[in-house]
Amino acid sequence: MGERSVDQASLKMLKKAKQEGIETAWDRYEQQLPQCGFGLLGICCRNCNMGPCRIEPFGDGPTEGICGATADTIAARNLLRMIAAGAAAHSDHGRDIVTTLYETASGETQGYEIKDEGKLRALAVEFGIPEEGRSKEDVARDLAREAMEEFGMVKGTLHFLNRAPEKRRQLWERVGISPRGIDREIVEVMHRTHMGVDNDYVNLTLHGVRTALSDGWGGSMFATEFSDVLFGTPEPVKGESNLGVLKEDDVNIVVHGHEPVLSDMIVQVAKEEGMLAAAREKGASSINVCGMCCTGNEMLMRHGVPVAGNFLQQELAVVTGAVEAMVVDVQCIMPALTQVAKCYHTKLISTSPKARFPEMDHVPFSERTALDTARKIVMMAVDNFPNRKKDLVQIPDEKMEYMAGFSVEAIIKALGGSLDPLLGAIKSGQIKGIAAIVGCNNPKIPHDYGHLTLTRELIKNDVLVVQTGCAAIACAKTGLLLPEAAEQAGPGLSAVCKAIGIPPVLHMGSCVDISRILVTAAAIANALGVDMSDLPAAGAAPEWMSEKAVSIGSYVVGSGIFTVLGTVPPVLGGKKFTELLTKGAQDVLGAAFAVETDPVKAAALILDHIAAKRKGLGVEG
Ligand code: SF4
Ligand code: MSK
C-alpha cells in the first residue's frame, strides 16, 4: 500500500499537483516525519507554565511532570480536551441550527421555511410542548427555546436520553455519567483538566464519556433533528460523486465544511434564472454546485447534490483548475487551501465569523440575509468564470452514482413501516449484525483504503454497514452505495438488499448524523428488550483524524457499542489509561475501544464481536 490514495481521481490530481509544484497534505505529512514521539503517545503537557513537561516512555527519564502528574493523568487530560473540542464543534453546529429554527419561526430569516412539520410536531410531543391547534411557527419557537436551554441547562439531564434503552439509562445513572447541559460538561472538562484539579485518570475518563454523551445524545442530535425540521428529513435520493462531477463548461461552486444553513441557500439560488443567465453571459453553460466533506453530505442527503470528494480531496478539487469558488463554513477546512488556490483562479470564500482564514475572501453570512448572501457568493463565482486558466484545467473522468438519504425514517419506510423485517433478518442470521463505519481521511493511511477495505470485508460477511461523513463519500465513489453493490455482499445480506431494493451500505448523513445511528441502535435494542451493549453491532473509524471523531468514538463506546479505531489515538504513553480504554471500560460501560490499523484485521475483530453478541442473544448462526 505504497500509494497515497486508492482513488484514481485523487491519484491523477496528485500527479498534476506535483507537476505544477503544488504541495498537498500528503507532502506536508512527509515533512512532519518523524512525528514527535511524546505527542504520538499523548504524554506531553502544556497545561501550565511550569511546563511544558513530557514523560519519558521507556523509564530512563522523568516519570512525572513538574507538578507530579503521571503519564496516565497527562494522557487522560489530553484526550479529555480532544473530546471537549469535538463535542463543542458538533454542539455549536447544533446550536446554530436550533437558533436558525427559532429565528425562522419568528419571521426573522430570509429564505428558510419549516420543511418537515410532521417531525416538528413529533419532537414537540417528545419534549412535552403543546402542539395541537397551534401554528407550526408557535410550536417551533417553543421547541427551539426548550432546545436552547438544554445547552446550558441547570437542572436535570438531556431530554434525548429518553430515547436510549432503560438499561442503558440506568447504567449511566449508576456510573454517574448521565449528561447534564451540553455547555456544562464541556466547561467541566476544561476545569478538571486545569493544573491541579482532576488527576485520577479513571475519574477523568468517566467525565470524558459523559461529555461525549452530551454530544451524541445532545448537540449532534439537535443538529440532526432540527436540520430535518428546517431542511426536510432525508429520503432515498440518487446523485454522483468524485472529482469527475465538476463540469468543464459550467461555473463550478464547491461548498465545503459542515453546516447546511448557507449551502442550502446556495443550492437554491444557483437554480434561479437570473443567476443562470448571468453564467451564460460569462460563457458558461450552467452553474454546478457540488459538495465536499460534510456540507456535501448534508446537501446530497436532501437534494442529491453531486459530491466532489471527501476530506483529503479538498485541495485536489482546487488542483483541477475548474473550481470558480470554494465556499467554506466551519470545520475540516485546511488553511493550506489559500496557498493551493494562489496557483489557480479559484476564489476561496469564508462565511462564518467563527472561521476566518488569512488571505481568504470573507462574505459574512447571516440567516437574516441568507438569500442575498447566497446570491452575492454565486455571482462572485460566476464573475470568476472568465478567469479560468484553461491550460491548467484537468477534470478527472472518475465519477460514480450513489444512493443516499437513509434517515431513520427512510430506513423504516424502506422496510415497509417497521423495523420488524430487519430484526427478523438479524435473528435468522441473514444479516449477522450492523456496523457503523464513520469518520475522516488521514494521510497516515492510503486515502479511502481503510474505509473501503473494512466495508467490503464486512458486507461480504453479511454485516449491514451504515455510514456517515467521509467514510460514506469513500464508498459513494466506488459504487458501494448502490443497490447493485448487493452483489458484493454475502448471500444473506445480498438477499435482503435485493428484496427491499437498498444498498448493503446505507449513507445516513454527515458527522452529526451519527445521532441517527444511535437512534437506530436504540430502537433495535428497545424492540429486542435489551441494552445497546447486547446488540450484534460495532462502530469503526478506520481513517479518523479530527477531535470530533474522539468525541464520537467515546459516545459510541459510552452507549455500549464496541468501537475499532484505525489510526492510533495519542494515549499509548499512559499504560493504565490505555488499559482502561481498551479493557476496563468493558466492565463499566459494556463496551471498549480496540485499535487496529489493518482494516482486514479490524473486520475480523468486528466479526468476532458480532458472533459473540449473537451468541449472547441466543441467535447463533
Ligand atoms: Fe507540567 Fe503539571 Fe504543568 Fe502539565 S500541569 S505542564 S505536567 S507542571
Ligand atoms: S467532514 S470530521 S473529515 S468525517 Fe465531517 Fe470528514 Fe471527519 Fe471532517
Side-chain angles (χ1 to χ4, degrees), residues 45-48 50-51 53 65-67 69 74 77 195:
C45 180
R46 290 189 297 105
N47 289 15
C48 88
M50 289 190 281
C53 300
I66 295 166
C67 67
I74 292 173
R77 284 198 308 217
M195 186 267 152

Side-chain angles (χ1 to χ4, degrees), residues 36 58 84 129 220 246 252 263 297 308 436 570 600 604:
C36 168
F58 304 112
I129 290 164
S220 283
L246 297 170
N252 291 304
S263 44
N297 281 324
V600 176

Side-chain angles (χ1 to χ4, degrees), residues 257-258 293-294 311 332 439-441 469-470 511 545-546 548:
H258 277 77
C293 283
C294 279
F311 176 67
C332 302
C440 325
N441 301 131
C470 291
C511 297
M545 63 85 200
S546 85
K548 291 175 288 174

Side-chain angles (χ1 to χ4, degrees), residues 48 55 67 106 126 169 223 290 293 309 363 369 446 542 576 585 604-605:
C48 88
I55 305 298
C67 67
S106 307
E126 193 176 344
R169 281 183 277 143
C290 305
C293 283
V363 177
T369 52
K576 287 189 277 184
L605 288 178

Side-chain angles (χ1 to χ4, degrees), residues 453-477:
T453 310
L454 181 58
T455 303
R456 287 185 179 127
E457 284 294 313
L458 291 177
I459 63 170
K460 204 167 74 188
N461 285 284
D462 290 321
V463 174
L464 176 68
V465 172
V466 291
Q467 294 194 328
T468 62
C470 291
I473 299 174
C475 287
K477 292 184 289 177

